[in-house]
Amino acid sequence: MWSDREVGRWFDYYVDRAEERIYKLLQRAGEEFMKIARKKGNYQDHTGNLRSSIGYVIVKDGDILTESYKLSDKKGSDKHTGLREAKRLVSELASVYPDGWVLIGVAAMPYAVYVEAIDNLDVASVATEHTEVWIKKQSKVLFDKLAEK
């Protein structure tokens, strides 16, 4: 009924559509992570570096497809240190995932973990938990819509 070539084109078409949806889902999730981490972080960001180190990347098969960061609104400080640290860390982490799709959200200043652990302040934990729940909900909605078709 169909040639192997025609069947292959159909498979390619649907794989491309699925990957496009995965990409959009991860991109929206990354933006959600950044929004929550920057708003809900209840620490005093003296230099602007910690908030500037918050960002995300989307990785597919080890390659960074998208990266997003935003400099802190803090005036008169060198916020670029946080941005450089974020880019360094996500580059390092992306190489750990050579296969499949990965969303990596970071608060990349080395002291971020201490702010959370020792000072008991939120830097990215709430954003991470919120983003995981958000992805699960959105995935369910997406898969439910696909099952209806």
Side-chain angles (χ1 to χ4, degrees), residues 4 63 79 135 137-138:
D4 287 345
D63 296 322
K79 305 167 273 206
I135 287 175
K137 282 182 187 175
Q138 294 302 313

Side-chain angles (χ1 to χ4, degrees), residues 112-124:
V113 68
Y114 299 109
V115 171
E116 286 209 343
I118 295 170
D119 294 337
N120 201 27
L121 299 171
D122 178 56
V123 176

